[in-house]
Amino acid sequence: MNMLLQGPLVLRPLYLFNVMHLPLFFLSDSISRLDQKCLFNSSHSRRRGQPVERDFRQHHNQGVWREVQEERRQESIPRGVCLSMCPIRELQDREAQNLLHRFEVLSGTERERWPRADPSGVVKEYARPAAGKDSTRPSDLRPPAVLLKTVFYLVDNIAASPTLRPWTEVYDFVFDRLRSVRQDMIIQRVSGADCVAVLERTVRFLIYASYRLCGEPLRLYDPRINDTHLQESLSWLLECYTSGKHPNQEEFQALGLLYNLGSSRATQHTMELPERIRSSPVMHLALSVSRAFMERNPVRLLRLAHSLDFLQSCALHRHLETCRRDLLLIYSHGHSSKNCRFPLHKLAHILALDVPLTNQLCQAHGVEVRGDYVVFSKTSFTEPEAGKLQCAHFHDLVDRKQRDLTVGSIIHGCT
Amino acid sequence: MAHITINQYLQQVYEAIDNHEGSFCAELLSFKHPHVANPRLQLASPEEKCQQVLEVPYDEMVAAHLRCTYAVSNHDFVEAYKCQTLVVQYPFGISGDYFGYIFSSLPIPEGFDDCRMIFQAEQQLLRKGKGKLGDMLEKAAEQLMGCFRVCASDNRAGIDDSKKWGMLFLINQLFKIYFKINKLHLCKPLIRAIDSSNLKDDYSMAQRVTYKYYVGRKAMFDSDYKPAEEYLSFSFQHCHRSSQRNKRMILIYLLPVKMLLGHMPNHQLLRKYDLMQFADVTKAVSEGNLLLLNEALAKHETFFIRCGIFLILEKLKIITYRNLFKKVYQLLKTHQLPLDAFLVALKMMQVEEVDIDEVQCILANLICEGHIKGYISHQHQKLVVSKANPFPLLSSSS
C-alpha cells in the first residue's frame, strides 16, 4: 500500500480518495500502457514538471516496469547475430554443467563423466523469460536464416531419423527446440516468408505427432500441451497469411478447419476467406467434411475421410471417435425395433473399421451384437466408460495412408 | 451553441457543475451536442483557458474534450480516441458524496457513446499499416472494463447515486467491441454480472433492448435456440417503432432462429424491412426444396457470411430434408416407405454423391431428432412410420 500512496499523496489531499480506487486497476492484469499514461499523467506532474511519474513507475511491479522499458526501446527491435544453432555462451554453460541433451552429445563421449558437446548438434533450448534476465542480447539471438536452418536440422536429423528412439524422446527434444525457435522469432518480430516457412513445418510436425503419439501414457506425451502449442502456431500462421501471397495457404486453412472440426470460430473464419481460396479443391473437400460434421451425417463424413491425404487424416483423427459414436447413436434411434437385423459387416464398412473392432466398439456403446447382426435399440445405447476405448486401436483409416511416406517428406510438405 | 466563444462555453460548464446539473454538463461533453461543430471550441491546447475558469479535475477533463473536438475536425481519429479516453478517466478519480451523483451515470456513457470514433481510429491505423486489426478495440475494451469494474464495485453511495446505473450501458459498449473482434467468450462474465444484479429490470428500455439483442446473438452462436428466440423477440417487440434500422438488425438474427423452430416469416415482413434475401430461403425450406435452398444460400452468401448467420442457415437443411421427406410420404400414401423413394427425391434435388447408406443416415438422424416418428427396417429397405402423426410439428420437436 505504501508505494501507492507515495506519488499522489505528496500533492493534494483530495487525491487520498483517488487512491482507494486505484487498487482495482492494479489488480487487473489487463492494464494497458495507455491506462497507465492516463492515470499517472496527472495534472500536477505536467504542470510542475515533476518526475512523479517516473518515480512511481520504478516502485511498481517488475512486469509493468519492463513494459515501459520496452516501449522506450520500440524503435530498436533486437536483431540476432548468432550464426550457429546455439549461442556459444549457452553451449559452454550447458557443457560445463552437464546439461546437454543425449542428442547433443559428441558421439563417443556419452559415457564420460562430462560428455562433450557436438557443435553441429547442440540447439538452443527454450528458456522461460524471467525478471532481470535479458533475453534480447544479439549474440544470443539467431537471425531468421539460421532459424530456418535449425528447423531443417531438427526435422531431417532428429524427427525423421530412422535410428533415434524412442520417438517420445525425439518429440520432446524437437518440441522444445522448436519452441525456442519461435521465441527467437517473437523477440525479433520476424514476419513474412521466413516466419511462414518455420511455422508451416512446426504445424505439420505437431499434427503428425498428435497422431503418432496418440495413446502414449501421459507421463511421456501430453496431448493437451501439444494441442495448445499447435493452436498457437496455427493462429500465428493464419495471421501471417493475411498479408502477401503464400503458396501453401490452402493446405493450412484446410488443416486448421479439419483439426478444429465443429468449432464455430474456425468455421466462421473459413467462411470469411476469399472465394478463390475457399473454392480450391483441398478447401472444398475440407469444407464438405466440416459440413457433414455440422449436419451430423457421419456416413458422409467417413466416406469423405477416405479422400483425405495422410496429414489431413492426422488432423481429423481425434474427431473420428465422436463421429463413430454419433453414428451408433443415430442408428440406435433410427433402426430401433424388435426385429432389427443390421448386418455387422455392413456397419463395419460404414465405420471404416474391421469386424472385430466394430464388435468392440458396439459393445462399448451398449449396442447389441448377435452373431453377424447388430440389433439396434434406442434404449440400450450408452456412452462408453471414460478411457475404455483407446483411440489408437482405431487408427486404421489413417494408418493405411502413410504407406511409404517418410517423416521428413510429411513435415516438409513434399508429399 | 454553434457560435459561442470558448469563454462562454467554459462559463456554461462551470455553472452546470456548480448547480449540479448533471445532464446539462454531460451534454456539454458529449459528441452528440452541436457545440462540437463550433470551430471556436476546437483548440489544440486549451489547457490554459480551462485552468482559468474551472477547478481541478474538471479543467483537465474539459481540456481533453476540447482537444478531442480539434482532433476530430482534423479527421485524426487516433488522437481523438486518446483524448476521449482521458475524458473518461477523470470521473473515476472523484469519490461519491459531493461529486458522485453528477457522474453517476451520464458523462461516462456520453464519453464512450462514440464507439464509432474508436472504430474509425481503428480504420485509420490499419490504413497507415500500423497495428493489427483489433488492437485499438482491445485497448478500448480494457478501458471500458476498468470503468465497469469501478461501477460494479460501487457499494458506497445510495441507490440513486450509485454508479451501478452505468453498468448496463458499459456492458452494451463492451458487447459491441467483443462482437467486432470476435471474442464472444468474454461476454459471459458480463452476462453473469447483470443476471445477478437486482437492478436488471430497472434500466431504461433502450439499454435493455440493446442488451437482449447481444445476449440473443450470443445464445444463437452457442446454439441455444430457445433462449435466443426469447431474447431476440423481446428486443424486437420493445424496440422503438421509429428505429427501423435497429429493428432490421434484430430481425436478421431473429429470422434464422424462428425458422429453425419451424416458424417461417411472411413476405410482407421481409419486404417491410428490406430483407428479401430471406425470401428464397424461406420458400425453399417450407417446400422442402433442397436445390432452391442451396441456390439461395449461394446467391446471398456474402450477405449471410458478413452477418455471421450463414452457418445457422445451413442448419435449416435438416428442416428442409424433413419437409421433402414429408412430401414423399404424402405422395406415396403408405406407412411403409421404400428407401429408394427418398433416394430418388434427393437425386431430383441434385444432391451430389448420395447413396442409400446416406439416405438411411439422414432418415435416422431425423428420427433421432424427433422430426419423424418411426423406424428403418434395413432388411426390407423400408422406412416404417407411425400411423398417427408421423411428422410432428417442428415447433414441438425442436
Side-chain angles (χ1 to χ4, degrees), chain B residues 11-31:
Chain B
Q11 192 63 25
Q12 288 192 351
V13 175
Y14 177 75
E15 278 168 12
I17 295 173
D18 216 29
N19 298 334
H20 302 169
E21 287 169 6
S23 43
F24 185 50
C25 185
E27 275 181 43
L28 290 171
L29 293 171
S30 155
F31 261 79

PDB file of all heavy atoms in Angstrom, chain B residues 11-31:
ATOM      1  N   GLN B  11     -17.860  28.994 -19.215  1.00  0.00           N
ATOM      2  CA  GLN B  11     -18.737  29.532 -18.186  1.00  0.00           C
ATOM      3  C   GLN B  11     -19.946  28.645 -17.996  1.00  0.00           C
ATOM      4  O   GLN B  11     -20.365  28.359 -16.884  1.00  0.00           O
ATOM      5  CB  GLN B  11     -19.166  30.960 -18.599  1.00  0.00           C
ATOM      6  CG  GLN B  11     -19.841  31.758 -17.497  1.00  0.00           C
ATOM      7  CD  GLN B  11     -18.921  31.995 -16.316  1.00  0.00           C
ATOM      8  OE1 GLN B  11     -17.697  31.998 -16.441  1.00  0.00           O
ATOM      9  NE2 GLN B  11     -19.497  32.173 -15.152  1.00  0.00           N
ATOM     10  N   GLN B  12     -20.487  28.156 -19.114  1.00  0.00           N
ATOM     11  CA  GLN B  12     -21.645  27.274 -19.032  1.00  0.00           C
ATOM     12  C   GLN B  12     -21.299  25.989 -18.291  1.00  0.00           C
ATOM     13  O   GLN B  12     -22.073  25.491 -17.465  1.00  0.00           O
ATOM     14  CB  GLN B  12     -22.151  26.924 -20.440  1.00  0.00           C
ATOM     15  CG  GLN B  12     -22.821  28.100 -21.116  1.00  0.00           C
ATOM     16  CD  GLN B  12     -23.566  27.668 -22.365  1.00  0.00           C
ATOM     17  OE1 GLN B  12     -23.445  26.529 -22.804  1.00  0.00           O
ATOM     18  NE2 GLN B  12     -24.342  28.579 -22.927  1.00  0.00           N
ATOM     19  N   VAL B  13     -20.119  25.460 -18.617  1.00  0.00           N
ATOM     20  CA  VAL B  13     -19.696  24.226 -17.945  1.00  0.00           C
ATOM     21  C   VAL B  13     -19.581  24.469 -16.447  1.00  0.00           C
ATOM     22  O   VAL B  13     -20.049  23.693 -15.616  1.00  0.00           O
ATOM     23  CB  VAL B  13     -18.349  23.716 -18.511  1.00  0.00           C
ATOM     24  CG1 VAL B  13     -17.864  22.517 -17.739  1.00  0.00           C
ATOM     25  CG2 VAL B  13     -18.487  23.388 -19.978  1.00  0.00           C
ATOM     26  N   TYR B  14     -18.942  25.602 -16.111  1.00  0.00           N
ATOM     27  CA  TYR B  14     -18.737  25.932 -14.704  1.00  0.00           C
ATOM     28  C   TYR B  14     -20.057  26.005 -13.966  1.00  0.00           C
ATOM     29  O   TYR B  14     -20.223  25.464 -12.877  1.00  0.00           O
ATOM     30  CB  TYR B  14     -17.971  27.256 -14.607  1.00  0.00           C
ATOM     31  CG  TYR B  14     -17.792  27.708 -13.179  1.00  0.00           C
ATOM     32  CD1 TYR B  14     -16.861  27.081 -12.341  1.00  0.00           C
ATOM     33  CD2 TYR B  14     -18.574  28.747 -12.663  1.00  0.00           C
ATOM     34  CE1 TYR B  14     -16.706  27.479 -11.038  1.00  0.00           C
ATOM     35  CE2 TYR B  14     -18.419  29.150 -11.356  1.00  0.00           C
ATOM     36  CZ  TYR B  14     -17.495  28.520 -10.552  1.00  0.00           C
ATOM     37  OH  TYR B  14     -17.350  28.909  -9.249  1.00  0.00           O
ATOM     38  N   GLU B  15     -21.036  26.692 -14.595  1.00  0.00           N
ATOM     39  CA  GLU B  15     -22.336  26.843 -13.954  1.00  0.00           C
ATOM     40  C   GLU B  15     -23.042  25.503 -13.820  1.00  0.00           C
ATOM     41  O   GLU B  15     -23.674  25.238 -12.795  1.00  0.00           O
ATOM     42  CB  GLU B  15     -23.213  27.810 -14.759  1.00  0.00           C
ATOM     43  CG  GLU B  15     -22.896  29.252 -14.443  1.00  0.00           C
ATOM     44  CD  GLU B  15     -23.532  30.216 -15.431  1.00  0.00           C
ATOM     45  OE1 GLU B  15     -24.407  29.787 -16.219  1.00  0.00           O
ATOM     46  OE2 GLU B  15     -23.152  31.396 -15.421  1.00  0.00           O
ATOM     47  N   ALA B  16     -22.911  24.707 -14.826  1.00  0.00           N
ATOM     48  CA  ALA B  16     -23.571  23.408 -14.767  1.00  0.00           C
ATOM     49  C   ALA B  16     -23.038  22.591 -13.588  1.00  0.00           C
ATOM     50  O   ALA B  16     -23.796  21.959 -12.855  1.00  0.00           O
ATOM     51  CB  ALA B  16     -23.347  22.647 -16.075  1.00  0.00           C
ATOM     52  N   ILE B  17     -21.736  22.649 -13.416  1.00  0.00           N
ATOM     53  CA  ILE B  17     -21.137  21.895 -12.310  1.00  0.00           C
ATOM     54  C   ILE B  17     -21.557  22.483 -10.989  1.00  0.00           C
ATOM     55  O   ILE B  17     -21.945  21.784 -10.051  1.00  0.00           O
ATOM     56  CB  ILE B  17     -19.599  21.911 -12.417  1.00  0.00           C
ATOM     57  CG1 ILE B  17     -19.163  21.160 -13.675  1.00  0.00           C
ATOM     58  CG2 ILE B  17     -18.979  21.280 -11.182  1.00  0.00           C
ATOM     59  CD1 ILE B  17     -17.692  21.272 -13.956  1.00  0.00           C
ATOM     60  N   ASP B  18     -21.510  23.805 -10.928  1.00  0.00           N
ATOM     61  CA  ASP B  18     -21.843  24.480  -9.694  1.00  0.00           C
ATOM     62  C   ASP B  18     -23.280  24.221  -9.264  1.00  0.00           C
ATOM     63  O   ASP B  18     -23.570  24.091  -8.078  1.00  0.00           O
ATOM     64  CB  ASP B  18     -21.621  25.976  -9.891  1.00  0.00           C
ATOM     65  CG  ASP B  18     -21.096  26.606  -8.639  1.00  0.00           C
ATOM     66  OD1 ASP B  18     -20.412  25.900  -7.874  1.00  0.00           O
ATOM     67  OD2 ASP B  18     -21.391  27.783  -8.420  1.00  0.00           O
ATOM     68  N   ASN B  19     -24.178  24.175 -10.246  1.00  0.00           N
ATOM     69  CA  ASN B  19     -25.590  23.970  -9.945  1.00  0.00           C
ATOM     70  C   ASN B  19     -25.986  22.504  -9.956  1.00  0.00           C
ATOM     71  O   ASN B  19     -27.153  22.167  -9.935  1.00  0.00           O
ATOM     72  CB  ASN B  19     -26.468  24.723 -10.971  1.00  0.00           C
ATOM     73  CG  ASN B  19     -26.219  26.213 -10.893  1.00  0.00           C
ATOM     74  OD1 ASN B  19     -25.817  26.729  -9.861  1.00  0.00           O
ATOM     75  ND2 ASN B  19     -26.448  26.896 -12.013  1.00  0.00           N
ATOM     76  N   HIS B  20     -25.016  21.646 -10.055  1.00  0.00           N
ATOM     77  CA  HIS B  20     -25.255  20.199 -10.040  1.00  0.00           C
ATOM     78  C   HIS B  20     -26.187  19.755 -11.151  1.00  0.00           C
ATOM     79  O   HIS B  20     -27.028  18.896 -10.953  1.00  0.00           O
ATOM     80  CB  HIS B  20     -25.833  19.738  -8.699  1.00  0.00           C
ATOM     81  CG  HIS B  20     -24.939  20.087  -7.572  1.00  0.00           C
ATOM     82  ND1 HIS B  20     -25.314  19.985  -6.258  1.00  0.00           N
ATOM     83  CD2 HIS B  20     -23.681  20.538  -7.559  1.00  0.00           C
ATOM     84  CE1 HIS B  20     -24.314  20.376  -5.492  1.00  0.00           C
ATOM     85  NE2 HIS B  20     -23.317  20.724  -6.247  1.00  0.00           N
ATOM     86  N   GLU B  21     -26.054  20.378 -12.309  1.00  0.00           N
ATOM     87  CA  GLU B  21     -26.896  19.964 -13.431  1.00  0.00           C
ATOM     88  C   GLU B  21     -26.175  18.890 -14.227  1.00  0.00           C
ATOM     89  O   GLU B  21     -25.508  19.153 -15.221  1.00  0.00           O
ATOM     90  CB  GLU B  21     -27.194  21.162 -14.340  1.00  0.00           C
ATOM     91  CG  GLU B  21     -28.190  22.119 -13.710  1.00  0.00           C
ATOM     92  CD  GLU B  21     -28.262  23.411 -14.499  1.00  0.00           C
ATOM     93  OE1 GLU B  21     -27.633  23.495 -15.571  1.00  0.00           O
ATOM     94  OE2 GLU B  21     -28.922  24.339 -14.022  1.00  0.00           O
ATOM     95  N   GLY B  22     -26.323  17.699 -13.773  1.00  0.00           N
ATOM     96  CA  GLY B  22     -25.580  16.576 -14.342  1.00  0.00           C
ATOM     97  C   GLY B  22     -25.824  16.373 -15.825  1.00  0.00           C
ATOM     98  O   GLY B  22     -24.909  16.228 -16.615  1.00  0.00           O
ATOM     99  N   SER B  23     -27.105  16.409 -16.207  1.00  0.00           N
ATOM    100  CA  SER B  23     -27.388  16.091 -17.605  1.00  0.00           C
ATOM    101  C   SER B  23     -26.905  17.173 -18.547  1.00  0.00           C
ATOM    102  O   SER B  23     -26.408  16.905 -19.633  1.00  0.00           O
ATOM    103  CB  SER B  23     -28.862  15.804 -17.820  1.00  0.00           C
ATOM    104  OG  SER B  23     -29.623  16.763 -17.111  1.00  0.00           O
ATOM    105  N   PHE B  24     -27.020  18.435 -18.121  1.00  0.00           N
ATOM    106  CA  PHE B  24     -26.553  19.508 -18.995  1.00  0.00           C
ATOM    107  C   PHE B  24     -25.048  19.435 -19.149  1.00  0.00           C
ATOM    108  O   PHE B  24     -24.486  19.617 -20.235  1.00  0.00           O
ATOM    109  CB  PHE B  24     -26.994  20.872 -18.443  1.00  0.00           C
ATOM    110  CG  PHE B  24     -26.654  22.007 -19.355  1.00  0.00           C
ATOM    111  CD1 PHE B  24     -26.987  21.962 -20.705  1.00  0.00           C
ATOM    112  CD2 PHE B  24     -25.977  23.117 -18.880  1.00  0.00           C
ATOM    113  CE1 PHE B  24     -26.658  23.006 -21.558  1.00  0.00           C
ATOM    114  CE2 PHE B  24     -25.652  24.173 -19.722  1.00  0.00           C
ATOM    115  CZ  PHE B  24     -25.984  24.118 -21.070  1.00  0.00           C
ATOM    116  N   CYS B  25     -24.395  19.171 -18.032  1.00  0.00           N
ATOM    117  CA  CYS B  25     -22.934  19.038 -18.053  1.00  0.00           C
ATOM    118  C   CYS B  25     -22.524  17.931 -19.011  1.00  0.00           C
ATOM    119  O   CYS B  25     -21.589  18.072 -19.793  1.00  0.00           O
ATOM    120  CB  CYS B  25     -22.461  18.730 -16.635  1.00  0.00           C
ATOM    121  SG  CYS B  25     -20.685  18.687 -16.507  1.00  0.00           S
ATOM    122  N   ALA B  26     -23.289  16.856 -18.949  1.00  0.00           N
ATOM    123  CA  ALA B  26     -22.976  15.719 -19.823  1.00  0.00           C
ATOM    124  C   ALA B  26     -23.104  16.109 -21.281  1.00  0.00           C
ATOM    125  O   ALA B  26     -22.293  15.748 -22.122  1.00  0.00           O
ATOM    126  CB  ALA B  26     -23.899  14.559 -19.506  1.00  0.00           C
ATOM    127  N   GLU B  27     -24.144  16.878 -21.569  1.00  0.00           N
ATOM    128  CA  GLU B  27     -24.342  17.289 -22.971  1.00  0.00           C
ATOM    129  C   GLU B  27     -23.169  18.113 -23.463  1.00  0.00           C
ATOM    130  O   GLU B  27     -22.736  17.995 -24.604  1.00  0.00           O
ATOM    131  CB  GLU B  27     -25.603  18.145 -23.093  1.00  0.00           C
ATOM    132  CG  GLU B  27     -26.870  17.330 -23.262  1.00  0.00           C
ATOM    133  CD  GLU B  27     -28.075  18.228 -23.413  1.00  0.00           C
ATOM    134  OE1 GLU B  27     -27.971  19.231 -24.152  1.00  0.00           O
ATOM    135  OE2 GLU B  27     -29.089  17.940 -22.765  1.00  0.00           O
ATOM    136  N   LEU B  28     -22.663  18.978 -22.574  1.00  0.00           N
ATOM    137  CA  LEU B  28     -21.559  19.838 -22.975  1.00  0.00           C
ATOM    138  C   LEU B  28     -20.291  19.045 -23.241  1.00  0.00           C
ATOM    139  O   LEU B  28     -19.344  19.558 -23.825  1.00  0.00           O
ATOM    140  CB  LEU B  28     -21.296  20.879 -21.885  1.00  0.00           C
ATOM    141  CG  LEU B  28     -22.383  21.946 -21.757  1.00  0.00           C
ATOM    142  CD1 LEU B  28     -22.152  22.784 -20.518  1.00  0.00           C
ATOM    143  CD2 LEU B  28     -22.377  22.852 -22.992  1.00  0.00           C
ATOM    144  N   LEU B  29     -20.270  17.817 -22.770  1.00  0.00           N
ATOM    145  CA  LEU B  29     -19.091  16.990 -23.016  1.00  0.00           C
ATOM    146  C   LEU B  29     -19.374  15.881 -24.018  1.00  0.00           C
ATOM    147  O   LEU B  29     -18.560  15.007 -24.227  1.00  0.00           O
ATOM    148  CB  LEU B  29     -18.624  16.362 -21.711  1.00  0.00           C
ATOM    149  CG  LEU B  29     -18.074  17.367 -20.692  1.00  0.00           C
ATOM    150  CD1 LEU B  29     -17.851  16.669 -19.361  1.00  0.00           C
ATOM    151  CD2 LEU B  29     -16.770  17.948 -21.184  1.00  0.00           C
ATOM    152  N   SER B  30     -20.556  15.946 -24.599  1.00  0.00           N
ATOM    153  CA  SER B  30     -20.940  14.844 -25.471  1.00  0.00           C
ATOM    154  C   SER B  30     -20.687  15.193 -26.926  1.00  0.00           C
ATOM    155  O   SER B  30     -20.710  16.350 -27.317  1.00  0.00           O
ATOM    156  CB  SER B  30     -22.414  14.542 -25.265  1.00  0.00           C
ATOM    157  OG  SER B  30     -22.941  13.943 -26.422  1.00  0.00           O
ATOM    158  N   PHE B  31     -20.492  14.180 -27.718  1.00  0.00           N
ATOM    159  CA  PHE B  31     -20.271  14.415 -29.139  1.00  0.00           C
ATOM    160  C   PHE B  31     -21.552  14.498 -29.938  1.00  0.00           C
ATOM    161  O   PHE B  31     -21.522  14.679 -31.143  1.00  0.00           O
ATOM    162  CB  PHE B  31     -19.341  13.350 -29.722  1.00  0.00           C
ATOM    163  CG  PHE B  31     -17.939  13.856 -29.821  1.00  0.00           C
ATOM    164  CD1 PHE B  31     -17.140  13.899 -28.715  1.00  0.00           C
ATOM    165  CD2 PHE B  31     -17.464  14.366 -31.017  1.00  0.00           C
ATOM    166  CE1 PHE B  31     -15.860  14.411 -28.797  1.00  0.00           C
ATOM    167  CE2 PHE B  31     -16.186  14.887 -31.103  1.00  0.00           C
ATOM    168  CZ  PHE B  31     -15.386  14.915 -29.985  1.00  0.00           C
TER     169      PHE B  31
END
